């Protein structure tokens, strides 16, 4: 699979953009980014590769069958990696409809295009949230690939539905698919609505730091580049029809993350506010990544303390990027979500 043409959907978002940077730097692949530029997609993120000879950006919606088919006809992709999604749990609780549309119907549209035009691999970027949550008092329990699907939010339900469709297209039509289910990512270009960038940006402005519930919920954090490397490995060497969990054995309570950020920025813990909990808030996620380690030799490379410092430094140095985002529609969102919480 030398010199492949890869369609990366959702490549103007957080993880998709990092994946594109990874491919352009580390492979000879030709990369076509398909992204509709929702509130979460930013062309400025891709400015550094816009003129790269092996890169092309196409604005389009993965639910738009005509546009998707046209792109497949034009580019004849060898591989499709689908990152495009509505990704924020809180927004899915407010307005589930668009999550079902993009995450489920969009996935089906891409799968149909793969069937019609042929493909070497369709890879679905999924999430550990499809497994639901784990109790806080059972540190011995972790999600494996055979843990039953048991979703909590409209977001995770839509991602789980998409996963089931991907596997159905493999079993029914023999489509060469793979799925990865990763834990929480962090790193450069993370949209400011998510925990880590939100806390960095609020702390920089000495604004209150809204911690949901008691702050004891646990997430399993992975530096985004480690996730990108894992996806690249799965697409190249992973078995067709398989699901691979990705995670770094790095469980942290939300409150501890917020305290680390406060201290790294030399701010006061008095900024922390415990606010109303997220509805249906998952307690703990923890990934068992032994399958991808055993089969593909993948291991995370970035230690959390290094990754968090790199991330904080990136936000300190890239105020242009996030400043443009938080000065727009984000303010309305923030007021709606946190105004009288
Ligand atoms: P993001 O919200 O930062 O980016 C999503 C991108 O998809 C944006 O560029 C947006 O414009 C684009 N998009 C949305 N709807 C579209 C549509 N209908 N057609 C075309 N493009 C569309 O998301 P992210 O955090 O980068 O997540 C990427 C993928 O990884 C998602 O599928 C998500 O479920 C999955 N995932 C995320 C994490 C995480 O911690 N962020 C962890 C595991 C899995
Ligand atoms: O586990 C993978 C998932 O991680 C991905 O599938 C999702 O796309 C991604 O958004 C992320 O989901 P989370 O809900 O875990 O991420 P979020 O950053 O929204 O929240 C992380 C934790 O922090 C969660 O327990 C809720 C809490 N939180 C979040 C925000 C935004 C707060 O306490 N305060 C906040 O303001």
């Amino acid at each position: 699979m030398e010199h492949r043409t890869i369609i990366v959907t959702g490549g103007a978002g957080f993880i998709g953009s990092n994946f594109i940077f990874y491919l352009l730097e580390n492979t000879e692949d030709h990369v076509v980014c398909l992204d509709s530029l929702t509130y979460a997609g930013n062309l400025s993120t891709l400015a550094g590769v816009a003129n790269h000879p092996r890169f092309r950006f196409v604005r389009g919606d993965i639910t738009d069958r005509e546009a998707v088919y046209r792109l497949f006809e034009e580019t004849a992709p060898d591989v499709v990696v689908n990152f495009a999604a509505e990704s924020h749990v809180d927004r899915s609780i407010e307005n589930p409809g668009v999550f079902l549309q993009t995450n489920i119907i969009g996935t089906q549209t891409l799968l149909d295009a793969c069937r019609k035009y042929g493909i070497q691999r369709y890879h679905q970027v999924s999430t550990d949230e499809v497994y639901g949550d784990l109790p806080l008092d059972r540190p011995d329990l972790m999600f494996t690939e055979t843990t039953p699907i048991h979703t909590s939010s409209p977001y995770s339900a839509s991602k789980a539905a998409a996963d089931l469709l991907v596997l159905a297209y493999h079993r029914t039509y023999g489509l060469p698919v793979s799925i990865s289910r990763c834990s929480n990512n962090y790193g450069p270009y993370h949209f400011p609505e998510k925990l880590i960038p939100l806390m960095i940006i609020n702390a920089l402005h000495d604004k209150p730091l809204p911690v949901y519930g008691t702050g004891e919920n646990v997430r399993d954090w992975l530096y985004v580049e480690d996730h990108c490397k894992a996806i690249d490995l799965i697409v190249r060497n992973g078995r067709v029809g398989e699901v691979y969990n990705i995670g770094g054995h790095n469980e942290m309570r939300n409150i501890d993350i917020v305290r680390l950020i406060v201290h790294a920025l030399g701010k006061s813990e008095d900024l922390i506010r415990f606010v109303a909990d997220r509805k249906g808030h998952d307690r703990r996620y923890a990934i068992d990544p032994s399958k991808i380690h055993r089969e593909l030799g993948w291991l995370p490379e970035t230690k959390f303390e290094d990754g968090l410092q790199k991330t904080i430094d990136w936000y300190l140095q890239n105020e242009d990027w996030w400043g443009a985002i938080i000065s727009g529609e984000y303010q309305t969102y923030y007021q709606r979500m946190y105004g009288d919480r």
Side-chain angles (χ1 to χ4, degrees), residues 17-308:
S17 61
N18 278 284
F19 185 66
I20 289 173
F21 304 150
Y22 180 80
L23 287 180
L24 292 175
E25 258 170 50
N26 296 286
T27 74
E28 293 301 316
D29 296 334
H30 289 256
V31 179
V32 180
C33 170
L34 174 66
D35 197 298
S36 62
L37 299 179
T38 68
Y39 79 93
N42 280 288
L43 261 192
S44 68
T45 302
L46 297 170
V49 295
N51 296 318
H52 194 291
R54 287 186 283 110
F55 177 72
R56 181 179 159 204
F57 178 80
V58 175
R59 184 169 189 176
D61 194 312
I62 60 164
T63 65
D64 181 344
R65 191 168 286 269
E66 241 175 70
V68 169
Y69 284 10
R70 210 180 314 123
L71 186 66
F72 272 66
E73 239 163 66
E74 240 176 73
T75 57
D78 302 296
V79 172
V80 172
V81 182
N82 181 26
F83 290 91
E86 288 293 333
S87 69
H88 193 36
V89 173
D90 292 324
R91 290 189 192 248
S92 83
I93 294 166
E94 265 196 316
N95 181 20
V98 65
F99 285 72
L100 275 58
Q101 198 55 33
T102 287
N103 299 1
I104 305 173
I105 303 298
T107 298
Q108 186 220 352
T109 309
L110 293 170
L111 291 168
D112 283 342
C114 290
R115 273 190 73 203
K116 186 170 160 72
Y117 294 99
I119 197 85
Q120 289 178 25
R121 179 68 67 93
Y122 173 89
H123 184 78
Q124 177 75 359
V125 180
S126 186
T127 168
D128 59 0
E129 297 200 16
V130 301
Y131 299 121
D133 65 351
L134 296 163
L136 292 174
D137 59 357
R138 288 291 308 272
D140 55 312
L141 296 179
M142 285 190 285
F143 299 136
T144 71
E145 288 80 0
T146 55
T147 300
I149 300 285
H150 188 80
T151 57
S152 310
S153 70
Y155 162 70
S156 54
S158 69
K159 292 295 290 186
D163 283 13
L164 295 177
L165 264 179
V166 171
L167 294 173
Y169 272 59
H170 172 62
R171 166 109 187 219
T172 308
Y173 306 115
L175 203 69
V177 305
S178 46
I179 296 178
S180 52
R181 295 182 178 146
C182 190
S183 59
N184 286 62
N185 284 215
Y186 67 102
Y189 300 106
H190 204 179
F191 196 81
E193 68 194 349
K194 305 286 167 57
L195 179 79
I196 288 182
L198 186 144
M199 295 300 165
I200 296 172
I201 293 168
N202 278 19
L204 283 173
H205 290 118
D206 295 307
K207 279 180 66 176
L209 307 177
V211 174
Y212 299 167
T214 59
E216 282 163 311
N217 303 63
V218 170
R219 297 292 182 266
D220 183 358
W221 294 91
L222 183 70
Y223 193 63
V224 62
E225 201 181 330
D226 283 326
H227 185 189
C228 295
K229 286 182 185 169
I231 293 172
D232 185 48
L233 263 182
I234 295 168
V235 170
R236 282 170 195 283
N237 304 326
R239 287 184 292 141
V240 161
E242 290 292 316
V243 174
Y244 291 89
N245 281 355
I246 309 173
H249 284 302
N250 185 58
E251 292 179 50
M252 304 273 300
R253 298 188 314 166
N254 294 338
I255 185 64
D256 295 329
I257 301 243
V258 175
R259 288 200 177 113
L260 281 176
I261 292 171
V262 165
H263 295 150
L265 291 172
K267 300 291 181 178
S268 160
E269 286 192 16
D270 294 344
L271 289 174
I272 296 173
R273 302 277 187 287
F274 292 96
V275 300
D277 209 353
R278 175 183 277 175
K279 288 191 178 78
H281 197 174
D282 281 337
R283 293 161 296 175
R284 169 174 168 253
Y285 304 144
I287 279 280
D288 174 353
S290 47
K291 178 173 173 180
I292 187 170
H293 175 57
R294 196 174 56 247
E295 290 191 14
L296 303 175
W298 179 87
L299 277 177
E301 289 166 28
T302 308
K303 278 198 263 156
F304 184 71
E305 64 214 60
D306 299 339
L308 186 64

